[in-house]
Amino acid sequence: MSDRSFTYIGTRPIRHDGVDKVTGRASYGADLSMPGMLQGVVLRSPHAHARIVSIDTSEAEAMPGVKAIVTGKDFPVTRAKLPLGEAALDIHDISENAIARTKVLYDGHTVAAVAATTVEAAQAAAARIKVVYEPLPPVMSIDRAIAADAPILHEDMTTKGVPGSKAPTNVAARMEVKRGDLEKGFAEADIVLEREFRTVMVHQGYIEPHACVARFGEDGRAIVWCSTQGPFAVRDQCAAILGIDAALVKVIPSEICGGFGGKIVVYLEPLAMALARKAQRPVKMVMGRDEVFRASGPTSGTKIRMKLGAKRDGTLVAASASLYYEAGAYRGSPAGAGMMCLLAPYRVANFLVEAFDVVVNKPRVAAYRAPGSPMAAFAIESVIDDVARELRMDPIDFRLKNAMQEGDQTAYGPAYGPIGLKTLLEQARRHPHWSAPLGPNQGRGFACGFWFNGGMNSSATVTLNMDGSAAVVTGNPDIGGTRAAQALMVAEELGIAVERVRPIVGDTDISGMTDLTGGSRVCFATGMAVIEAARDVRSQLIAKAAKIWNVDPAAVTWEAGKAIPPPGTDKAQPLSVAEIAARFAHTGGPIIGRASLYAPMAGPGFGGHICDLEVDRETGVSKVVRYTAFQDVGKAVHPSYVEGQIQGGVVQGIGWALNEEYIYDANGILQNASFLDYRMPVASDLPMIEAVIVEVANPLHPYGVRGVGEVPIVPPLAAVANAMRAATGVRFTVLPLSPPRVLAALTTETRETVTA
Amino acid sequence: MSDRSFTYIGTRPIRHDGVDKVTGRASYGADLSMPGMLQGVVLRSPHAHARIVSIDTSEAEAMPGVKAIVTGKDFPVTRAKLPLGEAALDIHDISENAIARTKVLYDGHTVAAVAATTVEAAQAAAARIKVVYEPLPPVMSIDRAIAADAPILHEDMTTKGVPGSKAPTNVAARMEVKRGDLEKGFAEADIVLEREFRTVMVHQGYIEPHACVARFGEDGRAIVWCSTQGPFAVRDQCAAILGIDAALVKVIPSEICGGFGGKIVVYLEPLAMALARKAQRPVKMVMGRDEVFRASGPTSGTKIRMKLGAKRDGTLVAASASLYYEAGAYRGSPAGAGMMCLLAPYRVANFLVEAFDVVVNKPRVAAYRAPGSPMAAFAIESVIDDVARELRMDPIDFRLKNAMQEGDQTAYGPAYGPIGLKTLLEQARRHPHWSAPLGPNQGRGFACGFWFNGGMNSSATVTLNMDGSAAVVTGNPDIGGTRAAQALMVAEELGIAVERVRPIVGDTDISGMTDLTGGSRVCFATGMAVIEAARDVRSQLIAKAAKIWNVDPAAVTWEAGKAIPPPGTDKAQPLSVAEIAARFAHTGGPIIGRASLYAPMAGPGFGGHICDLEVDRETGVSKVVRYTAFQDVGKAVHPSYVEGQIQGGVVQGIGWALNEEYIYDANGILQNASFLDYRMPVASDLPMIEAVIVEVANPLHPYGVRGVGEVPIVPPLAAVANAMRAATGVRFTVLPLSPPRVLAALTTETRETVTA
C-alpha cells in the first residue's frame, strides 16, 4: 500500500488547469455568452415568513425589453425523489426552495424571475411585479422553533423518527445512536462535565456566486451551463422540477471557484430553464453576493448539550448529547451526520446521542464541508479539553488514551479498518509546535475531527492516442485537484509522462454517470474508476504487444511503462505505450479503457490540530498566530493539493470560530449580506497554516487513498476555542469568538463552570 | 442480415442536430469567438510558379494593430509521415503547401500570414509585406508536364514505381494493375474501341469555407477549433508541421457544412497556431471563397486513354487504359484509386491499366468523394456505351452480361463477397424510367460506378444514465448523418427510444482515437464500434439484472429492450434499461460501454444511374430532366440520409459533367475563383433526383451496412455524357459539356469516331 513505490503518485506536477486559471482564460459560470442571450433576475421575498396572497406580473410584462416572467405557477408540484448515493434528494422541497408557491419561508426566498434584454430592464420589471403578502411571525431560533406555541412553517410536518408524532411541528426529525448503559456509565465516572454549546449559521463563502446560462431548443432539448459540483445532479433536479425528461437535458459544468457543498442543490438553473423555454432564447442568471448570502448555502446554526464522564485515569466511560440543527426553511439539516461524527474518534462504552432536525425561517441549509461534523466536534472537543484540564492530563495524551483504532466499532455502526488517529496524535505530541513557548496573552488549543469520506457512483474513460498520449474523462468538476490527481493516476498506471495525460471534466453527455464532486469522494471513488480504466487500457496494450510478438498475452508482463515479452521470444524488445499505439492499425484498432463503479463509503479520515491564539484583552480581538494540522490522508496523490485542502479547511474553520455569523433582525431580515459585513478571514489575518501529512494506507483503495477535503474544517472550531480557554481562562460555548463577545466575557470576568 | 427485423434501424427519426441547424444555432468554423481574439489573413502568391528571392515583413510588422506575422521561416522542415489507415500523409508536402518556403508552386500559394486586431488591419499589413519573386514558366497541363523539356516543379522528384527513374521529372509515380494476355485478348475481340478522355480540375464546392480559431497557452498547450473531417488528423498534422508534441494539442471539430474530402488536410490551422503562439492571443482565420478556389481542394484534371475489346455476344475480353491525373503542386493525385476502380464493375480476362501521378502548377489536389473514380468511370462507361451501341445491345443488358458478382476477383486484388451490382442492374432495367418515352432533343444515358468504402480506426463510447437514457460519443464530425445513424444503432441494441440517445461528436480529448469522416467509412466502421459499445452496455445490464435476481448472467436473455429472467426465477419480472439503471447504486455502479476497432476496407458499393438530358441545339445549353440512381447500400440505417447522400453525389456529378471547371490564363492565374464564375448546379437547375435503395447485406457488418456517400458521384459524368450522345449523336470525350463546347460540337457537326 503506502509503502509500495510510486513513480508519479506523490509528485507535484504543475496542475493541468493552472495556466488557464492564473491567466484568467478559464471560463466560470458567468463567463459564457450566447447569441440572443437574455439576462435573468430574481424577485425575492422581503419577508422571513408570509403567505403569498397574489402575484400580478401584468405591468412588469409590458415593460420594455422584457421577454419572459415566471412565478411558482409555472412549475409543477412534484413529490419526486432523486437518488443521491444511499440518500435521496427531495425534489418537492428543492423546487419550492427555488421558487415559492403559497408561502415565502425566509428573507430572500424567490418569488418570481424575469428575463429581459438587459439586467437593468429585468430589474426594473421585477420591481413592478406586485406581490401581496400576508406576513406571519418568523421563527428565527431553535428555541423558538421547538417551543409549544411556535408559529409553524409547514402545516403538514411531523417528526420523522418519533412514532405517533402529529402535525404540525417544526421538528422534522429525531435520530439517535446509543450503546451500553448510560446511567451506569456516568455512575462509574470520577468526573462528569456538561456544557451547552451554540453556533450560528455560517456561509460556505465560495468566491464564485451561483451563475448559469440555459438554452431551450424548439425540440425540447435543453442545455445548461453552470457552476456546479454535480452536473448529473443538476440535470436530474432540473428535469424533475420542470417535469421534463432528463434525457433532453445536457448540463455542462463550467469551471467552479468554490462550492464546499453549496453547489449541489439547484437555485437559478430551473428558473433560467423555465425563462429560456418561455422566451425561446438563452437566459443567463448570476447571483449578486447579497443573493448568495440571503438565499444559498448556508450551514446550520446549532444548539448542542454535551455531557461527558471519565475515570480519574482518563478513560472515557459515558457520553450523552442532544444536537439541535437548524435546517433552514426545509427539512434536511446535517444533524444526523453530526450525531454520527460526534464520538467517531473515541472509545466510549456507554453513550446516547440524539439529534433533531429543526426548520426555521432562514435559508434552506446546504452541505458545507464535512456537513454537521464541525459543530459536533466543537461541543465534544471543548468538553474533552476541560475534562483533561480537570484531570491535569495532557490533552493529546488524554485523546490517545481514548482514541479509536483498527477493529473498534464506530458509534454509528461498522468497525474501523486501519485508521491513522493514533499515529497522527503521536506525531502531534512530538511536533515542535506542541512544546514551543507561548508569548503573553497567547494560549494553545488542540482538537480532533472526523469525516466519513464518501463513495457513490463514479465512472471514467481513458483514451489513448496514436502517439501514446492519453486523455481521461470523468464527470467531476475540478474543485480541489480532480484533473491533476486523475492525470497522475493514469500516468502511474501507464508509465507515461503526466504532462502527456489530458484530464477532462466532462459534461453529462460525454462522461459516464458520476455523482457529485463532494463528500471527499472524488480522488477516492472516481480515482478508483480512473485507475481501473487505465488498467483496462494497459491490458489492451498487453494484448496488442502479444499480437505483435505472436505470443500468449498472459505471458506478457508490464514494467515501467513497457510491455515485456516472455523470455526467449525471438527478436522481441520491450514496447512502450507509444510504440504499441503507433501500431493501432495493425493490431485491431485504437484503445479506450473504461470503468464504472459504486464505491461504498470508505476511508474514514481523522485530523488533529494545534492552534496558538493571541488575544488583545483591551479590544477582544484575537488572532491565530500559529497553526499546525495533522491529518491521515491515506496516500497523498498530489501533496500540494492535499496541503492546500488542509489549509483551506482550517481557514474556513478559523473564520467560523472567530468571526463569521448570519445576523438577523427581529423581523428575520438578514443584516449582513455582504463580504464587508460578513467577516471571512483573508490572507493577512492568518499565519501560514502548516499541514502535516500522515499516510496510513486505506486498504479499500488501490493506492491507499482517503478523502482529504472535509476533515480539516472539523477541528478548528474547538481548537480555537480551546486556545482561547488557555489564553483567557474563559470557556466560550457560543461562536463566533468575535471581539465584542470576547471583550464582554473578559470584562465581566466570566469563568468556566465545572460540574463535579 | 438484411432480412433480420429491426425496430429502429431503417426508420427516419428527426435528426438530433436538425433543429440546431435549421434555426442557425449550430456553430461552424467561423462561429467561435474568444476574448482577445485576433484576425488572421493570408498573403498569397500572385504567380503560378516562381522562386521566392526575399520576404521583408518589417514595414508590415510596424502597421497599427498587427500582432504577429509568420512566413515559411517560422516552420521547421519536416520529413514526418503520419499514418492514415493503410496510407500515410506526407507532412513535408502538407507543410510546404500550407506555407511556401523557397518556391511558390501555384496561384494562391500561401507566402505569409498576418494576425491583427481586425481583418482590415491584417489585410493592410499583408499588402505591405515585400516579396521579391523570380517568376518561372508555369506547367499548366499534363501534356506540358510530361514533355521532355517541361519546366520542373521539384528538382529532386523521381518517378516512384519506375525503377531507375532519375530526377528531375514532373511524374511523381507510375502504377499498374494487369491480368491475362492483353494482346491475345484484343485479338479475340470482335470489336475494339479506343478513346481519349479529358476532364479538368473541379472543386468540392462545400458551402462552408475553411475556418478555424487557434489558441496557444503559455504552457504550450494549444486548442484548435475548426471545420474538419478529421480532428485527430488535424491534431497530428498541425503538431508535426509546428514540430510540437501532439499530446499538447486539442482539436475541437465545429459543425461542418460540407467537406467531401476537402477538409482532411490542413491549410489555415497551422498558420493560426503559429500566429497564436507568436502573438500569445487566439487567432481566427477564415478563407474567402476566392481563397477556397485558389488554394484548397480541388480534384485532379485527367487525361485517360481507354481501349476496350468485346466479342459479338457482348463479352468483354480485353481492356487497356492509361490514366494521367494532375496532382497539383505536390505528389498525391488519386490516380491509383482511379486505376483500381476502373474495371471494378466488370469481368475482363485480359487487362492492363496504368496510372500516372503528375505534378502541375495548380493547387495540391485533395480528396473529393470517391477520389479518382468518377474520371475513370467517365472513360470506361463512355466506351462501354459506344461498344453496346455498336453491338446493338441494351446498355444495361451489356453491363449485366459482364457484371462482377460474388466470388469474382477484383482487378485490384481480393475477391468480392456478396455485392449488389447485378441486383441493381436488374432493378434499373425493370424501372419505369428505363422505358419511359423521351421528348424532342432528349437523350437517355446509363452508367455504373464503384467505390471501395473504407474501414480504418474507429472508437465509440456509450454511457448510460440513471434514467435509462444514453449518450454515444465518437470522434467523427457529422457530415452525412453520423449522429442520427449512431443514435439509431444504440437504440436498436438497447431497445430505448432513439430520442433518448444523445449522439455526441467528440473532440480529440473526449473521444477515442478515430480516423476521419470520409471514405464512406463512418456508418460502417464507426457504426460497428458503436454497436459493439452498445452491446458492451447490454452485457453489463444483463450482469446487473442477474445480480438483482441472484442468478447466473449466462441464463439471462435480452428481448425488446428488456432483460428476461431465466424461467422459474422467483418473483422476477423482466427489467427494462431504465429499471436496471435506476439501481446503479445497488448493482455496482453506472455503465459505460466502449469499443475500438480497426475495420478492414470492406463493403464495396456499386451504383447505376439513368439520366435523361435535354439539349437546346441553338444555345448548347443542356438540362437534366429526369434522373434515377440505383445503389446497393447494404442496409439503409436512416433511409432519408441515404437518399440525401445519393442525391447530393448525383448533383455534384452533374455539375462536374455539365459546367464546373477551373479556368486558368496563360500565366497560370485562376480566372473564375467565385461561385458566380464557377458554375455549380443549384436546385432550380435540377429535377428531383430519384434514389432507389437496393439492400444486399454486407456480411462484414452486423447490420449489413455498406458505405453510401461516395458511389453516387461516380456514374453521373458518364451517365450525362451518354445521354448527350443519345440526344445529339455526338460522343463528347472532354468535360464539362458546357454550352460553348456543346454548341461548337453541334455546329461543326462533329461525329463519333469508331475504331473498328
Side-chain angles (χ1 to χ4, degrees), chain B residues 335-506:
Chain B
M339 172 188 78
M340 294 200 285
C341 291
L342 187 89
L343 293 173
Y346 305 115
R347 295 167 161 175
V348 189
N350 309 289
F351 63 82
L352 168 64
V353 186
E354 60 173 358
F356 299 90
D357 183 27
V358 184
V359 295
V360 293
N361 289 118
K362 299 182 183 177
R364 177 185 188 278
V365 301
Y368 180 20
R369 234 171 166 155
S373 187
M375 310 78 137
F378 171 53
I380 187 168
E381 296 291 321
S382 293
V383 178
I384 281 177
D385 191 68
D386 287 345
V387 170
R389 179 173 290 102
E390 288 292 310
L391 297 174
R392 301 184 187 280
M393 281 183 73
D394 175 280
I396 299 183
D397 282 340
F398 181 87
R399 287 173 173 88
L400 265 169
K401 186 166 185 66
N402 295 288
M404 287 280 199
Q405 60 190 34
E406 186 171 357
D408 287 341
Q409 197 192 354
T410 59
Y412 59 91
Y416 286 120
I419 54 174
L421 178 59
K422 284 202 164 186
T423 311
L424 75 86
L425 286 170
E426 280 156 6
Q427 286 203 24
R429 206 177 42 161
R430 285 196 308 269
H431 192 276
H433 186 174
W434 190 237
S435 52
L438 286 161
N441 294 315
Q442 292 185 348
R444 178 165 297 147
F446 184 87
C448 283
F450 163 83
W451 186 247
F452 312 95
N453 298 322
M456 302 208 283
N457 292 298
S458 282
S459 299
T461 317
V462 176
T463 56
L464 204 61
N465 275 303
M466 290 191 80
D467 60 0
S469 66
V472 51
V473 180
T474 72
N476 284 120
D478 186 354
I479 302 184
T482 299
R483 289 187 184 87
Q486 295 178 353
L488 281 162
M489 291 172 178
V490 173
E492 187 71 38
E493 293 299 326
L494 298 184
I496 59 178
V498 69
E499 294 76 16
R500 302 196 87 219
V501 183
R502 299 179 72 99
I504 308 300
V505 177

Side-chain angles (χ1 to χ4, degrees), chain A residues 411-425:
Chain A
Y412 59 92
Y416 285 119
I419 53 174
L421 179 59
K422 284 202 165 186
T423 311
L424 75 86
L425 285 170

Side-chain angles (χ1 to χ4, degrees), chain A residues 386-673:
Chain A
D386 286 346
V387 170
R389 179 173 290 101
E390 287 292 310
L391 296 174
R392 300 182 187 279
M393 281 183 74
D394 177 279
I396 299 182
D397 282 340
F398 181 87
R399 287 173 172 89
L400 264 169
K401 184 165 188 68
N402 294 288
M404 287 279 200
Q405 58 190 35
E406 185 172 358
D408 287 341
Q409 197 193 352
T410 60
Y412 59 92
Y416 285 119
I419 53 174
L421 179 59
K422 284 202 165 186
T423 311
L424 75 86
L425 285 170
E426 280 156 7
Q427 286 203 21
R429 207 176 42 161
R430 285 198 306 270
H431 193 276
H433 186 175
W434 190 237
S435 52
L438 286 162
N441 294 314
Q442 292 185 350
R444 178 166 297 146
F446 184 86
C448 283
F450 163 83
W451 186 246
F452 311 96
N453 297 322
M456 304 209 282
N457 290 297
S458 282
S459 299
T461 317
V462 176
T463 57
L464 203 62
N465 274 304
M466 290 190 78
D467 60 0
S469 66
V472 51
V473 179
T474 70
N476 284 118
D478 186 352
I479 303 184
T482 300
R483 289 188 185 87
Q486 296 178 353
L488 281 162
M489 290 172 179
V490 173
E492 186 71 38
E493 293 299 325
L494 298 184
I496 59 178
V498 68
E499 293 76 17
R500 301 197 88 218
V501 183
R502 297 179 72 98
I504 308 300
V505 177
D507 60 45
T508 55
D509 279 353
I510 64 167
S511 60
M513 191 267 150
T514 288
D515 279 319
L516 50 91
T517 298
S520 292
R521 61 173 293 279
V522 178
C523 196
F524 173 74
T526 307
M528 280 203 283
V530 169
I531 293 165
E532 200 181 303
R535 289 179 180 174
D536 184 17
V537 169
R538 202 171 62 193
S539 69
Q540 294 176 61
L541 284 165
I542 287 172
K544 284 183 190 300
K547 193 167 185 177
I548 292 167
W549 296 323
N550 196 23
V551 300
D552 178 3
V556 176
T557 52
W558 188 266
E559 269 172 42
K562 291 192 175 188
I564 313 292
T569 311
D570 189 38
K571 287 181 193 160
Q573 292 298 319
L575 290 170
S576 70
V577 174
E579 286 163 344
I580 301 170
R583 298 173 73 170
F584 277 167
H586 304 285
T587 54
I591 293 179
I592 304 178
R594 59 97 174 81
S596 285
L597 50 84
Y598 185 87
M601 189 172 288
F606 292 92
H609 294 190
I610 309 171
C611 172
D612 290 358
L613 193 76
E614 180 173 314
V615 184
D616 182 331
R617 291 182 159 265
E618 285 185 35
T619 60
V621 170
S622 54
K623 193 173 165 66
V624 173
V625 292
R626 186 171 180 183
Y627 203 104
T628 308
F630 303 80
Q631 186 172 329
D632 171 23
V633 302
K635 176 69 198 174
V637 172
H638 189 301
S640 301
Y641 265 116
V642 169
E643 290 159 2
Q645 287 273 14
I646 293 172
Q647 291 161 335
V650 166
V651 170
Q652 288 187 310
I654 291 173
W656 197 340
L658 289 180
N659 287 101
E660 297 180 38
E661 58 182 318
Y662 268 48
I663 301 171
Y664 282 97
D665 72 7
N667 295 319
I669 306 305
L670 187 59
Q671 299 297 297
N672 62 335

